[in-house]
Amino acid sequence: MITSLSIKNYALIDSLQVQFNQGFSIITGETGAGKSILLGGLSLILGKRADLSSIKDASKKCIIEAVFDVTNYHLKSLFDANDLDYEPQTIVRREILPSGKSRAFINDSPVNLSTLQLLGEQLIDIHSQHETLQLVDDSFQFEIIDALAKNNDLLNNYTSHLKQYKLAQKELDVLLKFKAEAIKEYDYNTFLLKELTEANLVDGELVSLEEEFETLNNIEEIRESLSHSTQLVGEEEIGILSLLTQLKSNFKKISAYANTYQSLFERIDSSFIELDDVFAEMEKLQEQLDADPERLEKVNSKLLLLNNLFKKHLVSSVSELILIRESLSEKVSETENLDDRIQKKEKELKVKNDVLNKLSKELHDNRIKAIPELATQLEDLLKDLGMPNAKFQVSLKFGEAFYSNGKDVLSFLFTANKGGQFNELKKAASGGELSRIMLAIKSILSKYKQLPTIMFDEIDSGVSGEISNKMGQIMLQMSQYMQVFAITHIPQIAAKGHTHFKVFKEDVDNITLTNLKKLNHDERLVEIAQMLGGIEISSSAMAHAKQLLN
C-alpha cells in the first residue's frame, strides 16, 4: 500500500505532501481542479515516460517520491532478481531535470524505466472507465479463474517443470541438429582420423627423423671423414694422441720447478683425456656406421608423409597434428555416441512431458470446478450494479500444447441482455458495462489474493444514484482486503470512504496552484453537501450529507 506521496514542481503543483491510510480513501474536487495532475504525477512513479512540459518551473527539477509498505506483497524475489535492496518500507523516487533528462530510484538505487514499471505493476493499479483492455486478455481471465481455483502453488510447480521441460527440449534439438550436421562430416572425419592414427605420430620425432635421414643419405662421406679423423688422432707414431703423450711427458719433467709449468702440464693432460674420449667416440661411431637402404627408404617415406600432413592440415609440427588427431577422435566418438545421448534425452523429455500433463490436468480440473462459482459471483454482483441480465459463458478446452499456465484454451463469453447472443467481452459489452464488470472482478479477486493498491478513476461516470451506491459498497468491501482509492463526483460513493481528500486550486501571488487536503468531519460534510446541491448549500443538502455520512 502507498503510505505517503510527495510531489514538487509538477504541472500546477508547487509542493504537495500527503499521508495515506489503509482502507477506502476518497478523492473529490471540481472539474479541472487537478485530479488528473495528481494521477499524472503518480503514473511517473509507476514508470510512465516523462514529459519536460510537465515541469512547473523549468529552471528547477521536478521530484515525485512515494513510500510503499510492501510487507505483504511477497516481492523479495523481484528485488533480488533486479539487484535491489529489499525494504518493507520501499521508497520510489522519480526526478525530471530541467535538461529533460529523467532519473528513477528504488530505495536510492538507480533503475531504468522497465524495472520501475515492473515494480509499479505490483504496487498500484490505476483503473478508469477507458482502461478495460485487461479484461479481454487471456492471461488476466486465467488469473481470475486460478484465484478462485486456488491454483497458485500448482501453477508455480507447473511453471518450474515447464522451464525444465523447455530446457530439455532445447538440448534435444541441439543434439538432433548436431547429429544432422555431424553425419555429413562423419565419413570425412573418420578418414582423416584413420590417416593420422596410421601415421603413428610421436611428438618431437621430426628432428630425429631428419637427422637419421641426413646420416643415412650421406653415409659414405661420413664414413670417410670418420676414418680419416681416427687416423689423425690414433696413428701410433704421428697421431695427435701420440704427439700429446710426448708433450705431456716433456712438461711432466719440469712441472715440479714452477707453478706455471705445473699448470701447463695439467692443461695438456686435460686435453689428452678429452681427445682420448673423442677418439673412443669416433671409433664407436665408425663401428656403428652401416649403410641401410631399406631404413633410409622408410625414414624418407615417413618424412614425406609428415610433410604432406602438414600441408593438408596447415600446420608445421607433429604436436599440432597430434592435437588435430585428438580433436577428430572426439568428434568421431561424439557422432558414434549421439544416438545413445539422443535416446536418453528423449526418455528424460518423456518423463517431464508426463509430469506436465499431470499438472496441466490438475489445473484444468480445478478450473472446471471454479468456473460455476466465478460465474455466479460475477452475475450476482452485476445485478447489484444495474446489469440484471448479465450472463457469462466460460468454457475450457484441454489442448495439445503446453502454455505458460497449462494446456487449457479459454473461452470467456458474455451477454448483457436476456436471450442475447454470447460474444467476446470487447464485442458484447459497452465501456460502462466493461467498467462495472472490471469492478466486480477486482472485488472477487481481492478476496482470494493479495492485490496491489487500486485507484478507481471516475468509473462511476454515467451511472444512477442507486447503482453508484452499490459501487461504493463494493469498493468499501474490497478495502477490507486491500487499499482502495476512488476519484469520484458522486456523493453516495464519497460518503463511504474511511478518509476523504479534496483536490482544489488556489491563487498564490497571482499563480494558480493545485493542492490536496485531507478533510476532517465538518469539512467532509460541507464537501458532500456541495456535491449534492452545489456551492450554495441548502439545509436539505446538509441533512442529506449527514444522512449519507451516518
Side-chain angles (χ1 to χ4, degrees), residues 515-531:
N515 218 323
L516 181 70
K517 179 183 180 181
K518 183 178 179 180
L519 303 180
N520 60 33
H521 182 270
D522 291 341
E523 291 169 332
R524 190 176 184 189
L525 193 63
V526 170
E527 175 70 6
I528 292 174
Q530 288 180 337
M531 292 173 74

Side-chain angles (χ1 to χ4, degrees), residues 250-529:
N250 288 340
F251 270 88
K252 186 175 182 180
K253 293 175 183 177
I254 62 174
S255 62
Y257 300 149
N259 287 336
T260 303
Y261 304 134
Q262 176 65 29
S263 176
L264 282 171
F265 169 74
E266 290 173 356
R267 289 169 65 189
I268 294 167
D269 185 51
S270 178
S271 297
F272 177 83
I273 293 169
E274 179 64 23
L275 187 59
D276 189 50
D277 188 59
V278 168
F279 178 68
E281 185 69 22
M282 288 192 297
E283 282 189 320
K284 182 180 178 183
L285 288 173
Q286 194 172 7
E287 290 173 4
Q288 292 175 347
L289 203 59
D290 188 20
D292 190 347
E294 187 176 338
R295 176 58 185 167
L296 176 61
E297 179 60 31
K298 285 183 179 180
V299 171
N300 186 46
S301 296
K302 184 65 177 287
L303 286 171
L304 287 173
L305 173 61
L306 290 177
N307 282 316
N308 287 335
L309 291 173
F310 290 160
K311 290 177 183 178
K312 178 180 286 189
H313 296 282
L314 303 177
V315 296
S316 58
S317 68
V318 175
S319 59
E320 289 174 295
L321 287 178
I322 290 172
L323 288 176
I324 291 171
R325 183 188 66 193
E326 291 172 352
S327 175
L328 285 169
S329 179
E330 287 179 10
K331 287 181 180 179
V332 170
S333 178
E334 280 182 6
T335 305
E336 290 172 346
N337 294 329
L338 265 179
D339 286 338
D340 287 341
R341 292 172 63 193
I342 289 172
Q343 193 174 15
K344 286 179 182 177
K345 188 57 67 176
E346 286 174 338
K347 287 180 180 178
E348 179 187 337
L349 204 61
K350 174 67 168 57
V351 171
K352 295 183 184 300
N353 183 84
D354 292 344
V355 172
L356 281 176
N357 270 320
K358 180 176 178 294
L359 293 172
S360 298
K361 189 63 170 62
E362 289 180 41
L363 286 167
H364 175 81
D365 292 343
N366 290 350
R367 288 165 179 163
I368 290 293
K369 293 174 186 175
I371 285 172
E373 176 63 21
L374 172 62
T376 299
Q377 288 195 45
L378 276 175
E379 290 164 6
D380 288 347
L381 282 170
L382 291 175
K383 282 177 186 176
D384 290 339
L385 295 174
M387 298 172 65
N389 298 313
K391 293 290 180 185
F392 288 88
Q393 190 178 80
V394 184
S395 63
L396 281 178
K397 180 183 177 183
F398 196 66
E400 296 296 326
F402 290 121
Y403 302 112
S404 61
N405 58 0
K407 298 182 75 172
D408 287 329
V409 179
L410 176 64
S411 173
F412 203 97
L413 304 179
F414 170 76
T415 180
N417 305 307
K418 187 176 288 187
Q421 185 176 355
F422 283 94
N423 210 332
E424 296 176 19
L425 273 172
K426 61 182 177 182
K427 296 178 181 178
S430 66
E433 288 170 338
L434 283 173
S435 187
R436 280 176 272 176
I437 293 170
M438 179 62 95
L439 174 60
I441 285 173
K442 295 282 186 177
S443 172
I444 293 169
L445 278 175
S446 68
K447 300 174 186 176
Y448 294 92
K449 61 183 296 186
Q450 180 66 56
L451 294 178
T453 292
I454 190 165
M455 187 168 286
F456 291 108
D457 179 19
E458 298 184 359
I459 68 164
D460 46 35
S461 298
V463 297
S464 67
E466 180 55 32
I467 293 174
S468 63
N469 186 55
K470 293 289 186 181
M471 292 180 85
Q473 190 62 38
I474 290 172
M475 293 179 198
L476 180 60
Q477 289 171 354
M478 289 175 67
S479 70
Q480 297 176 47
Y481 311 102
M482 59 189 293
Q483 188 183 38
V484 179
F485 288 86
I487 298 174
T488 183
H489 289 291
I490 297 181
Q492 287 89 344
I493 292 178
K496 295 187 187 303
H498 298 118
T499 53
H500 191 149
F501 298 89
K502 181 177 181 178
V503 180
F504 62 95
K505 284 182 179 178
E506 58 182 346
D507 293 332
V508 178
D509 297 331
N510 294 321
I511 298 175
T512 300
L513 300 176
T514 287
N515 218 323
L516 181 70
K517 179 183 180 181
K518 183 178 179 180
L519 303 180
N520 60 33
H521 182 270
D522 291 341
E523 291 169 332
R524 190 176 184 189
L525 193 63
V526 170
E527 175 70 6
I528 292 174

Side-chain angles (χ1 to χ4, degrees), residues 43-54:
S43 67
L44 290 176
I45 286 291
L46 305 179
K48 183 181 177 182
R49 292 201 170 276
D51 183 356
L52 185 59
S53 64
S54 61

Side-chain angles (χ1 to χ4, degrees), residues 69-80:
D69 183 347
V70 299
T71 308
N72 298 322
Y73 284 10
H74 308 293
L75 294 177
K76 190 169 188 313
S77 59
L78 187 148
F79 278 73
D80 292 342

Side-chain angles (χ1 to χ4, degrees), residues 231-267:
Q231 286 179 5
L232 285 174
V233 175
E235 195 169 340
E236 285 188 13
E237 294 182 3
I238 58 171
I240 298 173
L241 279 176
S242 178
L243 294 174
L244 270 177
T245 300
Q246 294 178 28
L247 185 62
K248 187 172 74 169
S249 178
N250 288 340
F251 270 88
K252 186 175 182 180
K253 293 175 183 177
I254 62 174
S255 62
Y257 300 149
N259 287 336
T260 303
Y261 304 134
Q262 176 65 29
S263 176
L264 282 171
F265 169 74
E266 290 173 356
R267 289 169 65 189

